Amino acid sequence: VLSPWLWAAAMAAESAPPPLRPGPLPVFSEEGFGEKFLRKTRENPLVPLGCLCTVGVLTYGLISFKRGNTRRSQLMMRARVLAQGFTLAALLGGMAITAMKSKK
C-alpha cells in the first residue's frame, strides 16, 4: 500500500511535462455590428423571428389597450408572454447546438 504522498508523486512522474512554449494565438478579423448581426442571424434565425413576433404582439396589445379594447389587450399580453417564451427557447436551443458543434 502506497502512502498518498508517494502515490501522488508516482502519478506526477507518469504525466507528460507541459509544453515549454505556448502555441501561436489565433488571429481574428475585426467584425462590425452589422456583420456580427448577420452571422448570428444565419446561425440561429429563430431568435430574431421571435423578437419580431414579441414586438409585434406587444405593439398590437398596446394599441388595443389605448383604444379601450381590454379583452383583446389582455389576449395580446398573454400572446406576448408566449412569444417571449418561444424566443427564449430558441436562444437556449441555439446555444446548446453551438456548444455541441464546438465539442466535435
Side-chain angles (χ1 to χ4, degrees):
V1 175
L2 288 175
S3 70
W5 297 105
L6 290 175
W7 184 78
M11 292 304 293
E14 290 178 13
S15 64
L20 297 176
R21 292 189 181 140
L25 294 175
V27 178
F28 297 105
S29 63
E30 282 295 316
E31 185 177 38
F33 175 78
E35 292 143 353
K36 184 175 182 180
F37 179 77
L38 289 175
R39 180 176 56 85
K40 293 285 187 178
T41 301
R42 277 187 234 112
E43 288 175 6
N44 193 357
L46 294 179
V47 173
L49 180 67
C51 290
L52 287 174
C53 287
T54 302
V55 169
V57 169
L58 175 64
T59 303
Y60 188 61
L62 290 174
I63 290 170
S64 297
F65 180 74
K66 186 176 179 183
R67 291 182 180 166
N69 190 346
T70 56
R71 180 160 167 72
R72 174 149 301 148
S73 174
Q74 283 293 317
L75 183 67
M76 289 299 108
M77 291 304 114
R78 290 180 184 138
R80 176 191 55 86
V81 171
L82 290 174
Q84 282 177 320
F86 170 78
T87 304
L88 183 62
L91 181 66
L92 292 175
M95 287 172 54
I97 290 171
T98 303
M100 296 295 268
K101 284 182 183 177
S102 67
K103 285 186 178 182
K104 288 182 181 179

